[in-house]
Amino acid sequence: MLTVLVGNIKGGCGKTTLATHIAAFFAGSGLATAIGDCDRQRSSLNWLRRRSDALPPIAGLDWSKDVGSPAKGLARLVIDAPAAMHHKDVEDLIDISDIVVVPVLPGAFDEDATAHFLERLAKVKAVRKNKRAVAVIGNRLRPGTRASDHLDGFFGGLGFQVVARLRDSQIYPSVAAQGASVLEARDRRAASYAAEWRPLLDMLAR
Ligand SMILES: Nc1ncnc2c1ncn2[C@@H]1O[C@H](COP(=O)(O)OP(=O)(O)O)[C@@H](O)[C@H]1O
Ligand SMILES: [Mg+2]
């Protein structure tokens, strides 16, 4: 089983958006997929409740109180981590994960908070020893703005690559309301947003 942890201490940066899209990608590839929702708001589980039966199925694990054990036979597990993570929790979740995905919004406050989180990540043994890949994902970008253009240099300077850049668009709250993703919408507009996920999805498809 491949486990992907989506986390950042910064709230509202796109953890649930990333977790639900990654799960939709795996499920769409025909893999038995579950989301482990560790957040008290249970946004990923609520997204699953809104999901149409016509879309590839994704199982939901309510890990908002305790991290449980995933069901047998699962091929992919995506963990939607809570914003308030204690050091011990981060370590425990990284321990069971293969890849850590960190969404970040443009802007100095978000960069600083994320840098702090990445610093904590870098101290975890599995990450330090290069046994866990860490993918920073720029989210809600407005191309051509200084804050968006600043991300690559900022995280590059910390030794982390910005693997994918996702534009800010109302399509995200819109697909979220239907328990879907831009990867599953069939119109041309959605396809142009789906293309931005490619570098991350290629990394996860290894
Ligand atoms: N690329 C984007 N463009 C526009 N809105 C977005 C984008 N990514 C996330 N959002 C919206 O921002 C809000 C917070 O995102 P969410 O994924 O719930 O963050 P988190 O789980 O980190 O709190 C949600 O309303 C979501 O639909
Ligand atoms: Mg969330």
mmCIF file of all heavy atoms in Angstrom, residues 112-153:
data_model
loop_
_atom_site.group_PDB
_atom_site.id
_atom_site.type_symbol
_atom_site.label_atom_id
_atom_site.label_comp_id
_atom_site.label_asym_id
_atom_site.label_seq_id
_atom_site.Cartn_x
_atom_site.Cartn_y
_atom_site.Cartn_z
ATOM 1 N N ASP A 112 6.138 31.773 5.673
ATOM 2 C CA ASP A 112 6.841 31.643 6.952
ATOM 3 C C ASP A 112 6.309 30.463 7.762
ATOM 4 O O ASP A 112 7.079 29.682 8.317
ATOM 5 C CB ASP A 112 6.707 32.932 7.773
ATOM 6 C CG ASP A 112 7.576 34.051 7.202
ATOM 7 O OD1 ASP A 112 8.464 33.736 6.385
ATOM 8 O OD2 ASP A 112 7.344 35.217 7.561
ATOM 9 N N ALA A 113 4.983 30.339 7.824
ATOM 10 C CA ALA A 113 4.384 29.241 8.591
ATOM 11 C C ALA A 113 4.778 27.898 7.975
ATOM 12 O O ALA A 113 5.070 26.928 8.682
ATOM 13 C CB ALA A 113 2.860 29.387 8.623
ATOM 14 N N THR A 114 4.798 27.854 6.653
ATOM 15 C CA THR A 114 5.136 26.610 5.965
ATOM 16 C C THR A 114 6.613 26.274 6.133
ATOM 17 O O THR A 114 6.981 25.105 6.312
ATOM 18 C CB THR A 114 4.756 26.699 4.473
ATOM 19 O OG1 THR A 114 3.368 27.039 4.391
ATOM 20 C CG2 THR A 114 4.980 25.380 3.756
ATOM 21 N N ALA A 115 7.454 27.306 6.102
ATOM 22 C CA ALA A 115 8.887 27.085 6.334
ATOM 23 C C ALA A 115 9.093 26.462 7.714
ATOM 24 O O ALA A 115 9.908 25.551 7.893
ATOM 25 C CB ALA A 115 9.647 28.402 6.223
ATOM 26 N N HIS A 116 8.333 26.941 8.682
ATOM 27 C CA HIS A 116 8.408 26.427 10.052
ATOM 28 C C HIS A 116 8.001 24.949 10.076
ATOM 29 O O HIS A 116 8.645 24.122 10.712
ATOM 30 C CB HIS A 116 7.481 27.273 10.925
ATOM 31 C CG HIS A 116 7.491 26.896 12.364
ATOM 32 N ND1 HIS A 116 8.592 27.071 13.168
ATOM 33 C CD2 HIS A 116 6.534 26.334 13.140
ATOM 34 C CE1 HIS A 116 8.308 26.634 14.381
ATOM 35 N NE2 HIS A 116 7.075 26.170 14.386
ATOM 36 N N PHE A 117 6.937 24.627 9.342
ATOM 37 C CA PHE A 117 6.465 23.244 9.273
ATOM 38 C C PHE A 117 7.513 22.355 8.585
ATOM 39 O O PHE A 117 7.803 21.244 9.050
ATOM 40 C CB PHE A 117 5.133 23.191 8.513
ATOM 41 C CG PHE A 117 4.570 21.813 8.354
ATOM 42 C CD1 PHE A 117 4.134 21.087 9.459
ATOM 43 C CD2 PHE A 117 4.474 21.220 7.101
ATOM 44 C CE1 PHE A 117 3.613 19.805 9.315
ATOM 45 C CE2 PHE A 117 3.954 19.945 6.942
ATOM 46 C CZ PHE A 117 3.521 19.233 8.053
ATOM 47 N N LEU A 118 8.100 22.858 7.496
ATOM 48 C CA LEU A 118 9.106 22.076 6.763
ATOM 49 C C LEU A 118 10.346 21.840 7.616
ATOM 50 O O LEU A 118 10.973 20.786 7.542
ATOM 51 C CB LEU A 118 9.492 22.796 5.460
ATOM 52 C CG LEU A 118 8.403 22.834 4.376
ATOM 53 C CD1 LEU A 118 8.816 23.745 3.218
ATOM 54 C CD2 LEU A 118 8.088 21.428 3.853
ATOM 55 N N GLU A 119 10.661 22.833 8.455
ATOM 56 C CA GLU A 119 11.784 22.695 9.378
ATOM 57 C C GLU A 119 11.532 21.536 10.344
ATOM 58 O O GLU A 119 12.409 20.739 10.635
ATOM 59 C CB GLU A 119 11.878 23.989 10.184
ATOM 60 C CG GLU A 119 13.251 24.558 10.399
ATOM 61 C CD GLU A 119 13.090 25.948 10.984
ATOM 62 O OE1 GLU A 119 12.904 26.057 12.204
ATOM 63 O OE2 GLU A 119 13.093 26.927 10.185
ATOM 64 N N ARG A 120 10.279 21.488 10.826
ATOM 65 C CA ARG A 120 9.906 20.395 11.733
ATOM 66 C C ARG A 120 9.961 19.054 11.018
ATOM 67 O O ARG A 120 10.432 18.063 11.556
ATOM 68 C CB ARG A 120 8.490 20.641 12.272
ATOM 69 C CG ARG A 120 8.513 21.293 13.635
ATOM 70 C CD ARG A 120 7.165 21.816 13.998
ATOM 71 N NE ARG A 120 6.114 20.792 13.994
ATOM 72 C CZ ARG A 120 4.857 21.031 14.364
ATOM 73 N NH1 ARG A 120 4.515 22.232 14.754
ATOM 74 N NH2 ARG A 120 3.966 20.081 14.357
ATOM 75 N N LEU A 121 9.471 19.056 9.773
ATOM 76 C CA LEU A 121 9.498 17.826 8.967
ATOM 77 C C LEU A 121 10.929 17.334 8.796
ATOM 78 O O LEU A 121 11.199 16.140 8.922
ATOM 79 C CB LEU A 121 8.942 18.104 7.563
ATOM 80 C CG LEU A 121 7.465 18.009 7.293
ATOM 81 C CD1 LEU A 121 7.221 18.113 5.795
ATOM 82 C CD2 LEU A 121 6.909 16.694 7.803
ATOM 83 N N ALA A 122 11.816 18.288 8.500
ATOM 84 C CA ALA A 122 13.207 17.930 8.199
ATOM 85 C C ALA A 122 13.887 17.280 9.395
ATOM 86 O O ALA A 122 14.895 16.591 9.245
ATOM 87 C CB ALA A 122 13.972 19.164 7.744
ATOM 88 N N LYS A 123 13.331 17.510 10.589
ATOM 89 C CA LYS A 123 13.934 16.931 11.802
ATOM 90 C C LYS A 123 13.492 15.495 12.022
ATOM 91 O O LYS A 123 14.090 14.764 12.808
ATOM 92 C CB LYS A 123 13.563 17.769 13.021
ATOM 93 C CG LYS A 123 14.334 19.066 13.080
ATOM 94 C CD LYS A 123 14.116 19.785 14.405
ATOM 95 C CE LYS A 123 14.783 21.148 14.383
ATOM 96 N NZ LYS A 123 13.906 22.187 14.938
ATOM 97 N N VAL A 124 12.409 15.090 11.358
ATOM 98 C CA VAL A 124 11.922 13.719 11.527
ATOM 99 C C VAL A 124 12.889 12.783 10.809
ATOM 100 O O VAL A 124 13.291 13.028 9.677
ATOM 101 C CB VAL A 124 10.490 13.567 10.949
ATOM 102 C CG1 VAL A 124 10.003 12.138 11.068
ATOM 103 C CG2 VAL A 124 9.542 14.516 11.663
ATOM 104 N N LYS A 125 13.245 11.723 11.523
ATOM 105 C CA LYS A 125 14.325 10.841 11.052
ATOM 106 C C LYS A 125 14.115 10.344 9.612
ATOM 107 O O LYS A 125 15.029 10.404 8.785
ATOM 108 C CB LYS A 125 14.420 9.646 12.001
ATOM 109 C CG LYS A 125 15.783 8.971 11.972
ATOM 110 C CD LYS A 125 15.994 8.173 13.245
ATOM 111 C CE LYS A 125 16.495 6.783 12.957
ATOM 112 N NZ LYS A 125 16.173 5.853 14.033
ATOM 113 N N ALA A 126 12.907 9.870 9.335
ATOM 114 C CA ALA A 126 12.640 9.290 8.006
ATOM 115 C C ALA A 126 12.841 10.322 6.899
ATOM 116 O O ALA A 126 13.255 9.988 5.792
ATOM 117 C CB ALA A 126 11.229 8.727 7.961
ATOM 118 N N VAL A 127 12.538 11.595 7.188
ATOM 119 C CA VAL A 127 12.699 12.648 6.192
ATOM 120 C C VAL A 127 14.180 13.018 6.098
ATOM 121 O O VAL A 127 14.744 13.179 5.009
ATOM 122 C CB VAL A 127 11.850 13.889 6.549
ATOM 123 C CG1 VAL A 127 12.092 15.029 5.570
ATOM 124 C CG2 VAL A 127 10.364 13.520 6.582
ATOM 125 N N ARG A 128 14.820 13.134 7.269
ATOM 126 C CA ARG A 128 16.239 13.489 7.327
ATOM 127 C C ARG A 128 17.075 12.500 6.536
ATOM 128 O O ARG A 128 18.027 12.862 5.862
ATOM 129 C CB ARG A 128 16.664 13.514 8.796
ATOM 130 C CG ARG A 128 17.804 14.466 9.090
ATOM 131 C CD ARG A 128 18.030 14.605 10.573
ATOM 132 N NE ARG A 128 18.320 13.349 11.217
ATOM 133 C CZ ARG A 128 17.782 12.933 12.360
ATOM 134 N NH1 ARG A 128 16.896 13.692 12.971
ATOM 135 N NH2 ARG A 128 18.103 11.782 12.890
ATOM 136 N N LYS A 129 16.717 11.243 6.649
ATOM 137 C CA LYS A 129 17.495 10.203 5.964
ATOM 138 C C LYS A 129 17.053 9.999 4.526
ATOM 139 O O LYS A 129 17.410 9.004 3.901
ATOM 140 C CB LYS A 129 17.379 8.894 6.745
ATOM 141 C CG LYS A 129 17.984 9.002 8.132
ATOM 142 C CD LYS A 129 18.306 7.646 8.697
ATOM 143 C CE LYS A 129 19.318 7.779 9.810
ATOM 144 N NZ LYS A 129 19.516 6.508 10.510
ATOM 145 N N ASN A 130 16.259 10.980 4.026
ATOM 146 C CA ASN A 130 15.835 10.929 2.629
ATOM 147 C C ASN A 130 14.967 9.737 2.283
ATOM 148 O O ASN A 130 14.948 9.274 1.154
ATOM 149 C CB ASN A 130 17.055 10.931 1.708
ATOM 150 C CG ASN A 130 17.261 12.314 1.117
ATOM 151 O OD1 ASN A 130 16.284 13.063 0.993
ATOM 152 N ND2 ASN A 130 18.480 12.642 0.779
ATOM 153 N N LYS A 131 14.283 9.220 3.288
ATOM 154 C CA LYS A 131 13.426 8.063 3.042
ATOM 155 C C LYS A 131 11.983 8.471 2.763
ATOM 156 O O LYS A 131 11.150 7.628 2.487
ATOM 157 C CB LYS A 131 13.493 7.103 4.235
ATOM 158 C CG LYS A 131 14.843 6.396 4.300
ATOM 159 C CD LYS A 131 14.891 5.372 5.389
ATOM 160 C CE LYS A 131 16.212 4.629 5.348
ATOM 161 N NZ LYS A 131 16.591 4.121 6.650
ATOM 162 N N ARG A 132 11.682 9.745 2.892
ATOM 163 C CA ARG A 132 10.349 10.226 2.559
ATOM 164 C C ARG A 132 10.483 11.410 1.620
ATOM 165 O O ARG A 132 11.192 12.362 1.934
ATOM 166 C CB ARG A 132 9.590 10.696 3.807
ATOM 167 C CG ARG A 132 9.342 9.647 4.851
ATOM 168 C CD ARG A 132 8.361 8.597 4.391
ATOM 169 N NE ARG A 132 8.061 7.682 5.490
ATOM 170 C CZ ARG A 132 8.846 6.672 5.874
ATOM 171 N NH1 ARG A 132 9.976 6.442 5.250
ATOM 172 N NH2 ARG A 132 8.499 5.891 6.874
ATOM 173 N N ALA A 133 9.789 11.314 0.489
ATOM 174 C CA ALA A 133 9.782 12.434 -0.438
ATOM 175 C C ALA A 133 8.850 13.508 0.107
ATOM 176 O O ALA A 133 7.803 13.192 0.686
ATOM 177 C CB ALA A 133 9.317 11.967 -1.802
ATOM 178 N N VAL A 134 9.228 14.764 -0.041
ATOM 179 C CA VAL A 134 8.362 15.878 0.367
ATOM 180 C C VAL A 134 8.086 16.731 -0.870
ATOM 181 O O VAL A 134 9.011 17.182 -1.539
ATOM 182 C CB VAL A 134 9.039 16.737 1.465
ATOM 183 C CG1 VAL A 134 8.154 17.938 1.813
ATOM 184 C CG2 VAL A 134 9.332 15.903 2.714
ATOM 185 N N ALA A 135 6.801 16.912 -1.191
ATOM 186 C CA ALA A 135 6.412 17.709 -2.355
ATOM 187 C C ALA A 135 5.661 18.950 -1.897
ATOM 188 O O ALA A 135 4.593 18.847 -1.297
ATOM 189 C CB ALA A 135 5.536 16.877 -3.292
ATOM 190 N N VAL A 136 6.234 20.125 -2.158
ATOM 191 C CA VAL A 136 5.544 21.386 -1.864
ATOM 192 C C VAL A 136 4.702 21.752 -3.089
ATOM 193 O O VAL A 136 5.171 21.681 -4.219
ATOM 194 C CB VAL A 136 6.571 22.508 -1.561
ATOM 195 C CG1 VAL A 136 5.877 23.857 -1.396
ATOM 196 C CG2 VAL A 136 7.387 22.159 -0.309
ATOM 197 N N ILE A 137 3.436 22.094 -2.831
ATOM 198 C CA ILE A 137 2.521 22.438 -3.917
ATOM 199 C C ILE A 137 2.027 23.869 -3.725
ATOM 200 O O ILE A 137 1.384 24.175 -2.715
ATOM 201 C CB ILE A 137 1.284 21.484 -3.924
ATOM 202 C CG1 ILE A 137 1.703 20.002 -3.897
ATOM 203 C CG2 ILE A 137 0.375 21.807 -5.120
ATOM 204 C CD1 ILE A 137 2.507 19.540 -5.082
ATOM 205 N N GLY A 138 2.326 24.733 -4.676
ATOM 206 C CA GLY A 138 1.809 26.104 -4.623
ATOM 207 C C GLY A 138 0.321 26.079 -4.944
ATOM 208 O O GLY A 138 -0.077 25.526 -5.961
ATOM 209 N N ASN A 139 -0.502 26.667 -4.083
ATOM 210 C CA ASN A 139 -1.956 26.611 -4.291
ATOM 211 C C ASN A 139 -2.554 28.014 -4.306
ATOM 212 O O ASN A 139 -2.055 28.921 -3.659
ATOM 213 C CB ASN A 139 -2.606 25.763 -3.190
ATOM 214 C CG ASN A 139 -4.081 25.502 -3.469
ATOM 215 O OD1 ASN A 139 -4.507 25.493 -4.629
ATOM 216 N ND2 ASN A 139 -4.860 25.311 -2.425
ATOM 217 N N ARG A 140 -3.639 28.158 -5.046
ATOM 218 C CA ARG A 140 -4.371 29.416 -5.194
ATOM 219 C C ARG A 140 -3.474 30.514 -5.747
ATOM 220 O O ARG A 140 -3.498 31.650 -5.259
ATOM 221 C CB ARG A 140 -4.997 29.843 -3.863
ATOM 222 C CG ARG A 140 -5.924 28.785 -3.282
ATOM 223 C CD ARG A 140 -6.825 29.330 -2.214
ATOM 224 N NE ARG A 140 -7.854 30.162 -2.816
ATOM 225 C CZ ARG A 140 -8.962 30.544 -2.190
ATOM 226 N NH1 ARG A 140 -9.171 30.170 -0.940
ATOM 227 N NH2 ARG A 140 -9.852 31.287 -2.794
ATOM 228 N N LEU A 141 -2.674 30.150 -6.741
ATOM 229 C CA LEU A 141 -1.753 31.121 -7.322
ATOM 230 C C LEU A 141 -2.472 32.014 -8.335
ATOM 231 O O LEU A 141 -3.400 31.579 -9.008
ATOM 232 C CB LEU A 141 -0.591 30.392 -8.005
ATOM 233 C CG LEU A 141 0.202 29.427 -7.106
ATOM 234 C CD1 LEU A 141 1.424 28.904 -7.844
ATOM 235 C CD2 LEU A 141 0.630 30.096 -5.806
ATOM 236 N N ARG A 142 -2.019 33.235 -8.388
ATOM 237 C CA ARG A 142 -2.471 34.173 -9.419
ATOM 238 C C ARG A 142 -1.243 34.513 -10.232
ATOM 239 O O ARG A 142 -0.418 35.324 -9.800
ATOM 240 C CB ARG A 142 -3.076 35.423 -8.777
ATOM 241 C CG ARG A 142 -4.378 35.124 -8.052
ATOM 242 C CD ARG A 142 -4.811 36.294 -7.173
ATOM 243 N NE ARG A 142 -6.015 35.935 -6.436
ATOM 244 C CZ ARG A 142 -7.246 36.168 -6.881
ATOM 245 N NH1 ARG A 142 -7.422 36.766 -8.045
ATOM 246 N NH2 ARG A 142 -8.294 35.799 -6.164
ATOM 247 N N PRO A 143 -1.134 33.857 -11.410
ATOM 248 C CA PRO A 143 0.084 34.014 -12.217
ATOM 249 C C PRO A 143 0.389 35.490 -12.462
ATOM 250 O O PRO A 143 -0.522 36.287 -12.708
ATOM 251 C CB PRO A 143 -0.258 33.286 -13.517
ATOM 252 C CG PRO A 143 -1.318 32.298 -13.139
ATOM 253 C CD PRO A 143 -2.104 32.943 -12.037
ATOM 254 N N GLY A 144 1.651 35.818 -12.398
ATOM 255 C CA GLY A 144 2.069 37.192 -12.660
ATOM 256 C C GLY A 144 2.103 38.056 -11.418
ATOM 257 O O GLY A 144 2.612 39.171 -11.469
ATOM 258 N N THR A 145 1.570 37.567 -10.296
ATOM 259 C CA THR A 145 1.652 38.374 -9.078
ATOM 260 C C THR A 145 2.981 38.085 -8.396
ATOM 261 O O THR A 145 3.533 36.998 -8.515
ATOM 262 C CB THR A 145 0.501 38.069 -8.098
ATOM 263 O OG1 THR A 145 0.546 36.679 -7.755
ATOM 264 C CG2 THR A 145 -0.855 38.379 -8.725
ATOM 265 N N ARG A 146 3.451 39.073 -7.671
ATOM 266 C CA ARG A 146 4.748 38.944 -7.042
ATOM 267 C C ARG A 146 4.756 37.791 -6.025
ATOM 268 O O ARG A 146 5.702 37.018 -5.954
ATOM 269 C CB ARG A 146 5.104 40.257 -6.342
ATOM 270 C CG ARG A 146 6.526 40.261 -5.828
ATOM 271 C CD ARG A 146 6.752 41.402 -4.896
ATOM 272 N NE ARG A 146 6.734 42.668 -5.631
ATOM 273 C CZ ARG A 146 7.271 43.783 -5.153
ATOM 274 N NH1 ARG A 146 7.856 43.787 -3.986
ATOM 275 N NH2 ARG A 146 7.204 44.893 -5.844
ATOM 276 N N ALA A 147 3.652 37.673 -5.257
ATOM 277 C CA ALA A 147 3.598 36.628 -4.223
ATOM 278 C C ALA A 147 3.679 35.233 -4.857
ATOM 279 O O ALA A 147 4.350 34.340 -4.336
ATOM 280 C CB ALA A 147 2.314 36.765 -3.407
ATOM 281 N N SER A 148 3.011 35.043 -5.998
ATOM 282 C CA SER A 148 3.029 33.740 -6.660
ATOM 283 C C SER A 148 4.406 33.434 -7.228
ATOM 284 O O SER A 148 4.898 32.308 -7.138
ATOM 285 C CB SER A 148 1.995 33.696 -7.785
ATOM 286 O OG SER A 148 0.695 33.680 -7.231
ATOM 287 N N ASP A 149 5.028 34.469 -7.819
ATOM 288 C CA ASP A 149 6.341 34.265 -8.431
ATOM 289 C C ASP A 149 7.431 34.055 -7.386
ATOM 290 O O ASP A 149 8.492 33.518 -7.684
ATOM 291 C CB ASP A 149 6.703 35.470 -9.323
ATOM 292 C CG ASP A 149 5.762 35.566 -10.514
ATOM 293 O OD1 ASP A 149 5.079 34.569 -10.800
ATOM 294 O OD2 ASP A 149 5.697 36.638 -11.138
ATOM 295 N N HIS A 150 7.158 34.485 -6.158
ATOM 296 C CA HIS A 150 8.159 34.409 -5.100
ATOM 297 C C HIS A 150 8.347 32.994 -4.564
ATOM 298 O O HIS A 150 9.403 32.656 -4.023
ATOM 299 C CB HIS A 150 7.720 35.350 -3.956
ATOM 300 C CG HIS A 150 8.770 35.584 -2.925
ATOM 301 N ND1 HIS A 150 8.769 34.943 -1.704
ATOM 302 C CD2 HIS A 150 9.869 36.372 -2.939
ATOM 303 C CE1 HIS A 150 9.803 35.356 -1.008
ATOM 304 N NE2 HIS A 150 10.495 36.211 -1.725
ATOM 305 N N LEU A 151 7.309 32.153 -4.725
ATOM 306 C CA LEU A 151 7.295 30.823 -4.072
ATOM 307 C C LEU A 151 8.502 29.958 -4.424
ATOM 308 O O LEU A 151 9.131 29.377 -3.543
ATOM 309 C CB LEU A 151 6.024 30.055 -4.459
ATOM 310 C CG LEU A 151 4.733 30.379 -3.730
ATOM 311 C CD1 LEU A 151 3.663 29.396 -4.181
ATOM 312 C CD2 LEU A 151 4.907 30.306 -2.219
ATOM 313 N N ASP A 152 8.808 29.839 -5.736
ATOM 314 C CA ASP A 152 9.880 28.935 -6.170
ATOM 315 C C ASP A 152 11.205 29.270 -5.506
ATOM 316 O O ASP A 152 11.882 28.385 -4.987
ATOM 317 C CB ASP A 152 10.041 28.986 -7.694
ATOM 318 C CG ASP A 152 8.901 28.272 -8.392
ATOM 319 O OD1 ASP A 152 8.758 27.056 -8.171
ATOM 320 O OD2 ASP A 152 8.158 28.936 -9.121
ATOM 321 N N GLY A 153 11.548 30.559 -5.542
ATOM 322 C CA GLY A 153 12.814 30.988 -4.961
ATOM 323 C C GLY A 153 12.845 30.752 -3.464
ATOM 324 O O GLY A 153 13.842 30.271 -2.922
#
